[in-house]
Structures are given as structure tokens and as C-alpha cells.
Amino acid sequence: MSDWSTKTIPNLLHELNTDLERGLSASEAATRLSHQGENQIFQKSHAQQTTFHLLTHQFIDFRTLLCLGVMILLILPGLILPGPFPSDLLLSAILVGGVFVVQFGLQFYQTLNTRSSIQQIWSAAEVQVPVMRDGVPVWLPPASIVTGDLLLLDEGDYVAADARMVETDGMVVDESPLFGRSVFSTKVAEELETPSVTEQKNMVLGGTYIIQGQGRAVVVRTGE
């Protein structure tokens, strides 16, 4: 996989066979869309799972199953053996049960937060985004975006796919929908020297938002 953040803009345009002023032609974009498929970040059905399904899904987690299994093993002898329930087993079962409840609750809370973020991104994906095609700005649904497309980004816009910045004017991007915490990143257009993922200041990621400034970016990855 190419490290798009380290490429010069001329090399980037050459590799993706696109134009900095005109973007892709409509015919070339249609060809790429047929080969690459639609730019779907995830299946919509994942964002529409019921709360009951998410609740039962938590039992797949190994730590949750381990706590549940230990609690059953502690309770079972006291139910089978004659006489009163041993107090030490009861105390141990209560302690393990508390760990189980905390683990299950945290896992379920994190799952609900993840689903909420996915639903927000899906709602944003139903809008249209400005793209340069044949030298003319057009508004397209994110699903129609292909590699090589020239995104026209402005304050408040939704980023439809992973893209390399080629022009920026004071651009700041809100990346919290992807990372689940407040993350604001200032973007640049020049190439970088072997940066880590968190230091790719010349890249914008699909599912994020422009909160300040404007610029243009060439799409380098689409879909999942």
C-alpha cells in the first residue's frame, strides 16, 4: 500500500492519474466506480442493530464469559451439596458477580457509543459532497466518490473518503467521529517524511468534518 503522505503532489497526481485543476473526467470516474465499487464505509445494517442484539452480542467477549463461568462454578457446588450454602463460596460468588456486572456494563456502554458514532457517520453519508469533475464542481453522494477524485473542502463539510491534501488554507479537521474522543487536527499540503498514522497532517480521513478553513484533497482510498 502506498504511503500517500510522503509523496510529492506531482507524484501523487501521476500515480492516481488525475488532474489538479480538472479532477477526473465523468467517464473515467464511472469506470473506476464499476471496478472499485461504491464508497461505502460500512454496511448500513450494522448501524441499525437492535439494542437486544447488541446486549446478547456482549457474551461473545472472552472476559465476560470468563467471569460468568467462574461465578457459575462458585455457585454450583453450594446448590448441589447438602446443608447451608457455604459463606466463603457465597462471598466469592458475589465478588465475581460484581466484576461480571462491571465488565458487562462497560462493554455494553462502549458498544452503544460505537453504534452512535456509526449512525452519525451514516447520517452524514446521506448528504452530498462537492467534487471537481471535468473542471466543473459537482455535488455527489459519498457512495459515488472514487480514488483520484478532487474533493473541494470547506468549513462544515463532511469528508467522504481518505484523501491527501493538495491545497489548504488554515484547515482544521474534527476527527472525533473515528477515534471516539475529541481530536482536532490542523492540515498541511506538503509531503511528510515517514510519519506515523497519528502524524499524517497532510491526510484527511473519511467520516471526519472540516471545522475551520478550506482546501482541496485527492481521494486515495475508498470503501472500508
Side-chain angles (χ1 to χ4, degrees):
M1 180 182 295
S2 296
D3 188 352
W4 302 106
S5 63
T6 62
K7 294 184 180 296
T8 64
I9 292 177
N11 287 339
L12 173 77
L13 300 175
H14 175 74
E15 188 163 339
L16 292 172
N17 193 22
T18 189
D19 187 88
L20 189 58
E21 300 298 329
R22 297 184 57 82
L24 295 175
S25 66
S27 59
E28 175 62 21
T31 300
R32 295 188 186 191
L33 184 62
S34 65
H35 290 161
Q36 300 172 6
E38 291 190 339
N39 176 38
Q40 300 287 0
I41 300 177
F42 49 78
Q43 296 297 321
K44 188 172 183 179
S45 58
H46 293 343
Q48 295 178 327
Q49 293 175 338
T50 64
T51 302
F52 176 76
H53 181 274
L54 293 175
L55 191 65
T56 56
H57 185 73
Q58 305 314 305
F59 287 99
I60 299 176
D61 182 76
F62 173 76
R63 291 168 298 181
T64 302
L65 289 175
L66 180 62
C67 288
L68 182 61
V70 172
M71 186 171 61
I72 292 174
L73 289 176
L74 290 172
I75 293 176
L76 195 59
L79 297 176
I80 296 176
L81 297 175
F85 198 102
S87 58
D88 55 341
L89 286 181
L90 179 60
L91 179 60
S92 297
I94 291 174
L95 291 175
V96 174
V99 174
F100 169 76
V101 170
V102 171
Q103 170 63 31
F104 188 88
L106 288 175
Q107 189 76 16
F108 185 56
Y109 174 75
Q110 292 172 353
T111 302
L112 287 179
N113 279 345
T114 301
R115 185 178 71 163
S116 176
S117 296
I118 289 176
Q119 287 174 330
Q120 290 176 10
I121 294 176
W122 181 261
S123 297
E126 293 178 345
V127 304
Q128 293 191 330
V129 295
V131 180
M132 188 70 76
R133 292 271 177 92
D134 289 311
V136 179
V138 294
W139 290 80
L140 299 172
S144 298
I145 301 302
V146 297
T147 57
D149 262 329
L150 184 62
L151 300 179
L152 307 177
L153 303 172
D154 205 345
E155 186 172 322
D157 284 349
Y158 168 76
V159 181
D162 293 359
R164 162 68 191 278
M165 297 301 306
V166 294
E167 180 182 300
T168 178
D169 181 13
M171 180 180 291
V172 179
V173 178
D174 179 8
E175 297 178 340
S176 57
L178 295 183
F179 297 106
R181 55 186 174 84
S182 181
V183 180
F184 301 101
S185 177
T186 301
K187 300 301 178 181
V188 298
E190 60 268 16
E191 67 272 13
L192 306 177
E193 293 184 5
T194 59
S196 67
V197 174
T198 57
E199 297 172 340
Q200 291 183 340
K201 301 299 185 181
N202 58 2
M203 301 288 296
V204 287
L205 305 176
T208 60
Y209 297 88
I210 311 301
I211 60 173
Q212 182 178 312
Q214 58 186 359
R216 296 187 297 172
V218 176
V219 174
V220 298
R221 287 185 293 266
T222 61
E224 294 186 359

